[in-house]
Amino acid sequence: MKLTLKIWRQKNATSKGSLETYQVTDVDGDMSFLEMLDVLNADLIENGKDPVEFDHDCREGICGSCSLQINGRPHGPKRHITTCQLHMRSFKDGDTIVIEPWRAKAFPVIKDLVVDRTAFDRIQQAGGYISVNTSGNTIDANSIPVEKDDADEAFNSATCIGCGACVAACKNASAMLFTSAKVSQFALLPQGEVEASRRVLNMVNQMDKEGFGACSNTGACYIECPKDISLENIARINREYLKASVEG
Amino acid sequence: MGIVSSSIARKVSMALSGLFLVVFLAQHFTINFSSVVAPETFNEWSHFMGTNGLVQFALQPVLILGVIFHFVMGIILELKNNRARVHSYKKYSGSANSSWASRNMIISGAVVLAFLGLHFYDFWVPEIIYKYVDVNEAMESRYYPELVHKFESPVRVGIYCLAFVLLMFHLWHGFASSFQTMGWNNKYSKAIKGFTKLYAVAIPLGFIFIALYHHFNQIPH
Ligand code: HEM
Ligand code: SF4
Ligand code: FES
């Protein structure tokens, strides 16, 4: 396959940046999207040019680092996958593919397609944990009974890999799906109850402070989420937030 | 931040004021629809609404404040949300993952707001002048012919229909969305969603029907 790529190139956080056009040939349908970029980069390096910077690590859909906006959608044309799980057979010979970084005020571009997602870490640090006494007589988590449905729901929420596709997809660059998953994974379990109020208030507060938008319930986040994090989490965080606000 | 200015608090206030307007709209529709099936009842109800102290001096101001609150908060949210993405995408495929109605609440809302301006000029301002400026006698039989004559002009009827189509889009997303915003997503959600979509289509279509009915069934001046 022969493809035309329009890739966002930006030297550093402060420079302006623009879309640059590249041609790639000999692209195989069984290549992953990231491998296709590897081919391009090998070519650029061979010709003494600066390779395209992009984030990647596990290349098997678990680390959440491969953040690419492909043809106007996070992780490309397929629903519920990461970029590393996208194969070139999803494209046709002669296609033009536009590749951009996540766009959000809270995710500033560092270089080319790489953005700074530490805003997510700060939301997590604001309350995405439980305090456990580890003085030597720690209670085994399994000794506290949890209803199967709740355990499953909490587990589903905990599968969020912090990729940021939800923010990238949202017209408001809202981080509600991410934050709601991180709140839900504790809100559903007895271990999370103690700090429940503080957790949701602090995490939402941090989310707002980072400059993410509000949720308009468009549902774009869920469609693009590689881990199927459900919109019920957003209803839950709203509920938890209201409860915490009323209780004070 | 806190309870009054957080993103969630803003959204909840948006949902509550929206739901308040949805309830008002149902009541308004019921009265208007009576003009098609029973003009005397329409006159009676209009007379009651127009002269009852509670309606005039308690409910009416609350409604006006509710509308103002809703659209002012809508504009604030829109501005804030736009600021969350400083550099927009060169290529953006919004329709691949969300509906037009959900992404363009500010547009459908703005059209409804413009219509509300016209609506006030058409009905509310003449009412206020009739009752409180010129201080005319209350006359129960005047409402029906006044209403019918308002729908004489095809331009006005056209604008009216267009506004209600946009309201349909606004409610198609907004009504169901308000339950999610208030944390309501459970085993009843499917039924609620069905009801909200039915309402979103039926009520605006009903208003359009009333306008067209009177347009084609004019009574002599
Ligand atoms: C006056 C003109 C209006 C404007 C400018 C307006 C604007 C908006 C906007 C921007 C939203 C979305 C908020 C968000 O995305 O977070 C919204 C939501 C909503 N609107 Fe309106 N609106 C108007 C009139 C109405 C009317 C007349 C009704 C009902 C009859 C209504 C019912 C709703 C509902 C139920 C919501 C959902 C709240 C939620 O998403 O939780 N709106 N409106
Ligand atoms: S909620 Fe989904 S899309 Fe958002 S960060 Fe988590 S895994 Fe990624
Ligand atoms: S590289 Fe780890 S999820 Fe794609």
Side-chain angles (χ1 to χ4, degrees):
Chain A
M1 235 181 320
K2 259 176 92 165
L3 297 166
T4 303
L5 306 176
K6 294 193 167 189
I7 303 180
W8 185 261
R9 301 302 308 260
Q10 182 174 335
K11 272 208 163 51
N12 54 47
T14 47
S15 62
K16 219 172 150 283
S18 62
L19 281 180
E20 303 289 332
T21 307
Y22 301 92
Q23 307 290 338
V24 276
T25 47
D26 292 334
V27 175
D28 191 283
D30 292 336
M31 279 180 180
S32 81
F33 199 86
L34 299 184
E35 283 171 318
M36 184 275 293
L37 287 177
D38 292 340
V39 170
L40 170 73
N41 274 346
D43 198 47
L44 288 175
I45 292 168
E46 212 156 278
N47 290 304
K49 293 193 185 124
D50 204 14
V52 178
E53 202 90 20
F54 63 95
D55 259 338
H56 59 100
D57 187 16
C58 72
R59 298 208 175 198
E60 54 181 3
I62 53 173
C63 74
S65 48
C66 50
S67 48
L68 297 179
Q69 186 83 355
I70 300 161
N71 281 344
R73 290 181 65 183
H75 302 144
K78 292 233 155 116
R79 295 178 168 199
H80 303 307
I81 58 165
T82 55
T83 305
C84 55
Q85 293 169 311
L86 175 66
H87 289 93
M88 294 316 293
R89 52 181 167 269
S90 298
F91 300 91
K92 288 192 314 292
D93 186 41
D95 273 0
T96 298
I97 308 174
V98 180
I99 313 170
E100 296 174 80
W102 283 176
R103 291 295 190 189
K105 185 172 155 234
F107 287 165
V109 173
I110 299 171
K111 186 177 183 195
D112 296 340
L113 302 168
V114 181
V115 299
D116 178 356
R117 283 175 296 167
T118 49
F120 270 8
D121 298 345
R122 289 187 291 273
I123 294 176
Q124 188 74 331
Q125 283 155 7
Y129 53 80
I130 55 164
S131 304
V132 177
N133 190 344
T134 53
S135 58
N137 47 7
T138 314
I139 301 169
D140 189 284
N142 290 326
S143 67
I144 305 170
V146 180
E147 204 149 331
K148 176 79 171 119
D149 288 349
D150 288 343
D152 286 351
E153 261 304 295
F155 185 81
N156 286 344
S157 314
T159 58
C160 163
I161 52 178
C163 65
C166 43
V167 173
C170 177
K171 77 175 185 66
N172 306 335
S174 168
M176 277 288 271
L177 196 64
F178 166 79
T179 311
S180 70
K182 298 301 174 196
V183 164
S184 290
Q185 79 188 61
F186 296 113
L188 286 156
L189 300 176
Q191 287 89 341
E193 252 165 52
V194 187
E195 288 148 310
S197 287
R198 221 182 329 151
R199 173 181 307 115
V200 68
L201 293 175
N202 290 343
M203 288 177 83
V204 169
N205 189 16
Q206 190 64 35
M207 175 184 86
D208 288 349
K209 244 200 243 160
E210 297 290 348
F212 294 106
C215 175
S216 284
N217 299 323
T218 68
C221 53
Y222 159 72
I223 299 284
E224 304 297 3
C225 172
K227 298 296 155 187
D228 283 87
I229 297 296
S230 124
L231 294 175
E232 277 170 44
N233 290 296
I234 296 185
R236 187 177 298 106
I237 195 179
N238 289 336
R239 210 154 59 224
E240 291 285 320
Y241 185 85
L242 288 175
K243 203 166 79 189
S245 305
V246 173
E247 285 169 358
Chain B
M1 289 287 165
I3 177 72
V4 279
S5 60
S6 77
S7 57
I8 293 183
R10 286 209 171 95
K11 275 296 302 189
V12 169
S13 71
M14 200 66 208
L16 288 174
S17 55
L19 284 177
F20 169 71
L21 295 178
V22 166
V23 173
F24 158 73
L25 203 67
Q27 171 261 325
H28 196 332
F29 174 74
T30 311
I31 296 183
N32 281 22
F33 192 67
S34 73
S35 72
V36 171
V37 288
E40 289 85 46
T41 313
F42 176 74
N43 276 335
E44 253 171 62
W45 282 350
S46 302
H47 180 70
F48 171 78
M49 298 302 276
T51 51
N52 181 282
L54 187 69
V55 173
Q56 284 293 298
F57 302 112
L59 297 186
Q60 183 166 272
V62 169
L63 173 65
I64 293 173
L65 286 178
V67 172
I68 293 174
F69 180 89
H70 185 77
F71 82 74
V72 169
M73 188 54 93
I75 292 167
I76 291 175
L77 270 170
E78 178 70 18
L79 294 176
K80 284 220 155 241
N81 290 340
N82 287 345
R83 237 177 289 150
R85 176 165 289 134
V86 191
H87 302 282
S88 50
Y89 291 111
K90 297 281 175 223
K91 184 162 181 171
Y92 180 65
S93 312
S95 58
N97 49 36
S98 54
S99 68
W100 186 91
S102 74
R103 280 177 285 122
N104 294 285
M105 290 298 275
I106 195 69
I107 292 178
S108 55
V111 173
V112 173
L113 182 62
F115 166 77
L116 284 178
L118 177 72
H119 197 58
F120 260 57
Y121 170 79
D122 263 1
F123 291 94
W124 192 74
V125 174
E127 269 302 297
I128 295 298
I129 292 175
Y130 184 92
K131 283 190 303 215
Y132 305 119
V133 181
D134 297 346
V135 202
N136 288 306
E137 283 280 303
M139 191 170 74
E140 198 177 308
S141 60
R142 72 188 166 91
Y143 296 100
Y144 181 72
E146 275 178 18
L147 175 83
V148 175
H149 291 146
K150 284 287 180 204
F151 292 113
E152 197 174 341
S153 145
V155 176
R156 187 180 265 111
V157 172
I159 294 175
Y160 198 94
C161 294
L162 181 73
F164 276 102
V165 169
L166 268 297
L167 179 65
M168 206 182 292
F169 281 106
H170 197 77
L171 294 175
W172 180 262
H173 175 69
F175 194 3
S177 157
S178 58
F179 288 91
Q180 168 84 356
T181 300
M182 290 185 310
W184 255 57
N185 192 329
N186 52 35
K187 61 177 190 250
Y188 305 111
S189 294
K190 239 188 152 154
I192 290 174
K193 204 165 183 173
F195 171 74
T196 60
K197 303 281 171 188
L198 185 70
Y199 178 106
V201 176
I203 297 287
L205 273 186
F207 275 106
I208 290 173
F209 168 76
I210 296 167
L212 293 176
Y213 179 86
H214 291 311
H215 178 68
F216 292 112
N217 292 286
Q218 281 294 313
I219 46 176
H221 279 267

